[in-house]
Amino acid sequence: AQSVTQLGSHVSVSEGALVLLRCNYSSSVPPYLFWYVQYPNQGLQLLLKYTSAATLVKGINGFEAEFKKSETSFHLTKPSAHMSDAAEYFCAVSVTDFGNEKLTFGTGTRLTIIP
Amino acid sequence: EAGVTQFPSHSVIEKGQTVTLRCDPISGHDNLYWYRRVMGKEIKFLLHFVKESKQDESGMPNNRFLAERTGGTYSTLKVQPAELEDSGVYFCASSHRIKGAVGYTFGSGTRLTVV
């Protein structure tokens, strides 16, 4: 079974400051890891994904995440926050077994950007 | 290409009534998934179709929920009779057969409110 823990249901950062959203996972098999973003009144949009290639993954809108197996972490970062980054962010894990591709999500982190 | 389409976008019904949610996946995507987010909690897997067959329905909460995907195209999720705890946002996602979770595209969701 897999699980995801997102530390901090709400995170506030100043515009221009570093964004760090934390995600730890548990999986009995090699995982695929994902970050999704949900802007107000919109659906879930994929930010980036780790699929066992490079451990540092770059996504859209300047976000990146690093897979650290020893720490079972997949934290999301962005060097400089922009007002448009205000949204809810979800970390998710999936197993690599073909035919069993359901996602297990964390509880989400709402990011607020302070002008 | 057109994305995953869900309708209605919002639905407000009274306890005991019936509601049917619809999802139109991306054309050619054999995989179709339903997820649900109850207020303040994590997004949870409900079920997975491969074409018209239910591959995994382990997340369906109870027998008041019925999902169908006749002909392997669009899917419906019926809740009958609806209870207050069924309120939440219902997401649909689709992916190509060989891509699984790494190729998910989510719809914008249906916000269901049971009063």
Side-chain angles (χ1 to χ4, degrees):
Chain A
Q2 301 78 44
S3 67
V4 173
T5 302
Q6 290 185 243
L7 294 176
S9 58
H10 291 83
V11 171
S12 296
V13 302
S14 297
E15 190 175 14
L18 171 72
V19 175
L20 170 60
L21 305 183
R22 299 179 187 274
C23 171
N24 287 89
Y25 71 92
S26 172
S27 178
S28 56
V29 297
Y32 288 161
L33 293 159
F34 307 81
W35 276 100
Y36 283 88
V37 60
Q38 186 180 22
Y39 298 103
N41 300 315
Q42 295 187 28
L44 293 167
Q45 181 181 0
L46 180 66
L47 269 181
L48 49 79
K49 60 189 174 189
Y50 166 76
T51 57
S52 74
T55 56
L56 181 62
V57 182
K58 294 187 184 298
I60 61 172
N61 302 337
F63 284 93
E64 63 181 36
E66 186 172 9
F67 172 68
K68 292 188 176 180
K69 184 178 179 180
S70 61
E71 299 177 8
T72 61
S73 69
F74 191 57
H75 301 329
L76 182 71
T77 60
K78 181 174 181 178
S80 177
H82 191 273
M83 295 301 294
S84 61
D85 295 327
E88 192 160 19
Y89 293 79
F90 297 91
C91 182
V93 63
S94 174
V95 296
T96 53
D97 291 342
F98 180 72
N100 180 19
E101 305 103 348
K102 63 187 178 187
L103 293 172
T104 299
F105 285 87
T107 51
T109 298
R110 186 169 298 279
L111 177 65
T112 300
I113 309 299
I114 303 167
Chain B
E1 65 181 359
V4 176
T5 304
Q6 292 186 247
F7 50 94
S9 57
H10 294 83
S11 180
V12 181
I13 62 170
E14 293 185 352
K15 176 182 172 181
Q17 289 186 321
T18 297
V19 63
T20 300
L21 313 181
R22 174 167 167 151
C23 170
D24 285 52
I26 292 173
S27 177
H29 280 191
D30 290 339
N31 287 321
L32 188 148
Y33 310 83
W34 284 97
Y35 288 81
R36 176 176 75 169
R37 189 185 192 200
V38 171
M39 180 70 71
K41 301 207 171 178
E42 71 269 32
I43 301 167
K44 282 196 170 180
F45 168 82
L46 296 178
L47 87 158
H48 170 202
F49 283 101
V50 177
K51 295 187 179 178
E52 67 274 10
S53 299
K54 292 176 184 174
Q55 180 81 3
D56 180 355
E57 51 184 331
S58 61
M60 294 288 265
N62 51 61
N63 60 10
R64 295 186 294 103
F65 288 75
L66 175 63
E68 295 181 324
R69 192 183 181 194
T70 306
T73 55
Y74 70 91
S75 174
T76 58
L77 180 64
K78 180 189 288 187
V79 186
Q80 179 182 28
E83 298 289 345
L84 298 178
E85 64 264 25
D86 300 332
S87 296
V89 181
Y90 290 76
F91 292 102
C92 175
S94 72
S95 73
H96 190 276
R97 184 70 182 106
I98 63 170
K99 290 207 168 183
V102 300
Y104 269 44
T105 299
F106 277 90
S108 298
T110 294
R111 182 174 296 278
L112 174 64
T113 303
V114 183
V115 298

